[in-house]
Structures are given as C-alpha cells and as structure tokens.
Amino acid sequence: RFEVLSRLGEGMLGAVYCVRDTKTSEKFALKLMRPKLVADDLDVNRFNHEIELAKQFDHPCIAKVFESGEHEGTLYYTMELVEGGESLRHLLDRYKSRGEDLPIEEVHDILDGTLEALKHAHKVCIHRNLKPENILLYDVKDSQDHLIRKVKITDFAIANIVSPTIFATSYLNREGAFYLAPEMNEFRDKAAENSDLYSLGAILYEMLLSEPPIGRYEMPSDIRSSELTTGIDDLIEIALAPNPQDRFQSAEDMQSASEQAFSDVYASGDSNWQRTALLLAIL
C-alpha cells in the first residue's frame, strides 16, 4: 500500500525509500531487507523479534519504528521519516570536499545526541552497526529562532537479524569496518554496550579529523592544536581501546567524560580569545 516517492539510500542490510501510505497519506521511511541476509524461518523469526524490540524505543534521538511485514518474499519495516535532514555521512563528506573542519560545537552536539540515544537504547539492546550513515541530523528552532542541531539514530537492533558470520564477513569488506569493535568478528561475536561506544569513538575521531582512525592514528590535538586539548585525545583513546575492559563501560560514563573534555576545550578557547584581546589592547 506504499507509494515510492524517492530512494533515500542503501547499505549493507538493504535499501531505504521515502514512501507515502496510500491509505493515510502519511510519509515514512521504508527499508527493504536484502533477501540473502534473511534466508530462512529462523532469520524471519529473529527479524520479527528485533523489530518488536525496536518498536519499544520512545526517545527523541531515536527514529521511531512503526510496522513490519513481508512483500513478495522481501521483509520490510517502516520508520519515522526525518524530512529536511541529512546523514552524518553527507555532512562529513560536504565539509571534507571543501577542505573545512566540522565546527567543535557541532561535533559536541552530535556526540551528545548520540550518547543520549545509546543511554536509552542500551536498556533494551545494542545497536551493533553504528556508523555515520545511521546518524541522521536535522535542525529545529529554539524560542529565540536559533537553529539547534538534533540527532536521530536509525537501525537499532536491525543488525542482530543477520548471523554473526554473515554480518562480520560482509561488514569487514566495506567501509563500515572502521567502526566495528575488534570483538565483533566472524570468530567471536561478543558485542556489548561498549562495542557501540567503540564505534562512536571512531565516529568522533572522523568528525574531528575528516578521516576514520586507521592503524597508528594521530591524536586530534596534534592536528587541530589551536582548538583541541589532550582531554579529547583521552576521550578517544579510551573509547577505541582494543580491550573492551579498558573502554568506557556505559554511555553514561562516556558522556560524563565527554562533557569534561569539551568544557576544557571551550575554556581553552575562551582563554585564547582573552589573550588575543589583551594583546590587541596592548598593541
């Protein structure tokens, strides 16, 4: 009963379309799952289970899931359509193409919104597939007509539909491998809450430096030394620790560390401005 209006994108799990419900005229995002990833009755049961979990989420930073079904052998589900927005991937690509850095305040807002979503979601399930493509951004106006950047996370629980072996082998051959925690491979899929935090650490690194962390990566404060402090380096190093026990153990822990790290950045920026103003006054 859905009329396809446009194609929104495609990922490892399937394609997403903007559709209109011909019965209600409401618009939704509709995702079609790749048939090879949901191949038998066990996988279909897993799909239905994970969709039911996703429907439980009621948080402004998580895209709402509405219904699911099967059409001509292809499983689908509908979710909230974020109109007028874009994915974090599109935002990063746009800044990178212009040779510009994403503003620190915007990095902080996106990180904080994603952590808010994880704090809520981790009571129910782990995302397992967090990457810039699954972080949607849109702007709202506050009481003073200022635009505020907001976050909506999509595809919660959906990666659990795919068996660990298929998920890891498919994922590791794609760009998404940069965001995958070491414990999530085809031999030992031991995803936990801080597996998502590892992914978010890699996303944070890319937001700051326009490239995901690869191999012996440089620290952000070494590259953007005039803007960042070593507190940001510490935040990323803990999030990207290879051993899960050395990482933040919860989204709350990472959010507390993030607030301290970014407050240091803002304080440093204020003192730099004060020093500049003083020098100008002296001159």
Side-chain angles (χ1 to χ4, degrees):
R1 70 174 192 272
F2 298 106
E3 175 192 359
V4 176
L5 302 178
S6 64
R7 184 187 180 94
L8 298 176
E10 185 173 359
M12 186 195 80
L13 300 179
V16 187
Y17 298 87
C18 172
V19 300
R20 178 188 289 114
D21 188 326
T22 56
K23 293 182 178 179
T24 65
S25 295
E26 290 182 280
K27 290 182 181 179
F28 298 98
L30 182 144
K31 186 155 196 167
L32 299 177
M33 302 299 297
R34 294 187 187 280
K36 67 178 181 180
L37 297 181
V38 191
D40 54 37
D41 291 341
L42 179 61
D43 290 333
V44 171
N45 291 335
R46 188 187 295 123
F47 171 82
N48 292 329
H49 173 72
E50 297 301 331
I51 291 296
E52 289 305 312
L53 286 180
K55 287 180 183 178
Q56 296 179 31
F57 296 138
D58 185 14
H59 192 277
C61 293
I62 299 177
K64 186 72 176 171
V65 172
F66 295 106
E67 66 173 279
S68 61
E70 184 176 358
H71 178 73
E72 296 181 355
T74 298
L75 295 172
Y76 71 88
Y77 66 94
T78 60
M79 56 186 169
E80 178 183 359
L81 178 67
V82 182
E83 292 194 273
E86 64 179 342
S87 72
L88 176 56
R89 168 57 60 218
H90 289 145
L91 180 70
L92 291 173
D93 287 347
R94 190 166 69 252
Y95 270 87
K96 186 176 180 179
S97 68
R98 299 197 302 239
E100 298 175 1
D101 292 323
L102 194 61
I104 298 300
E105 294 80 3
E106 194 154 1
V107 172
H108 186 197
D109 288 345
I110 294 169
L111 175 64
D112 193 60
T114 306
L115 284 167
E116 286 293 332
L118 292 178
K119 281 164 56 178
H120 180 78
H122 282 169
K123 300 171 186 176
V124 178
C125 70
I126 301 160
H127 193 292
R128 294 179 81 245
N129 192 24
L130 194 62
K131 55 186 178 180
E133 288 80 356
N134 290 333
I135 300 177
L136 303 183
L137 309 172
Y138 65 103
D139 294 325
V140 297
K141 290 184 178 180
D142 63 13
S143 58
Q144 297 178 331
D145 253 12
H146 296 146
L147 289 177
I148 301 175
R149 177 56 54 88
K150 294 290 187 179
V151 167
K152 289 257 187 208
I153 311 300
T154 66
D155 282 0
F156 265 107
I158 305 305
N160 294 327
I161 295 165
V162 187
S163 71
T165 300
I166 294 176
F167 178 78
T169 52
S170 300
Y171 203 83
L172 289 172
N173 290 326
R174 303 172 71 90
E175 290 183 1
F178 298 132
Y179 314 104
L180 193 67
E183 65 272 14
M184 292 178 62
N185 60 51
E186 60 184 303
F187 303 110
R188 50 186 185 95
D189 180 15
K190 297 181 179 179
E193 289 181 17
N194 60 9
S195 302
D196 283 345
L197 302 182
Y198 180 100
S199 301
L200 185 53
I203 293 168
L204 172 59
Y205 186 96
E206 186 172 3
M207 285 196 289
L208 292 169
L209 298 184
S210 301
E211 298 287 347
I214 303 171
R216 295 175 62 85
Y217 52 85
E218 295 184 83
M219 287 291 102
S221 69
D222 292 336
I223 307 298
R224 296 176 68 169
S225 56
S226 62
E227 296 180 275
L228 301 178
T229 65
T230 56
I232 296 292
D233 297 346
D234 295 339
L235 179 67
I236 286 174
E237 278 200 290
I238 295 172
L240 292 180
N243 187 338
Q245 295 181 346
D246 296 331
R247 287 182 216 141
F248 298 109
Q249 296 304 299
S250 69
E252 288 87 348
D253 292 343
M254 187 170 177
Q255 191 172 45
S256 296
S258 168
E259 290 306 312
Q260 182 60 57
F262 278 93
S263 66
D264 291 345
V265 169
Y266 298 144
S268 174
D270 290 341
S271 61
N272 288 340
W273 180 87
Q274 290 165 357
R275 283 195 295 271
T276 301
L278 178 60
L279 286 172
L280 289 172
I282 291 171
L283 288 170

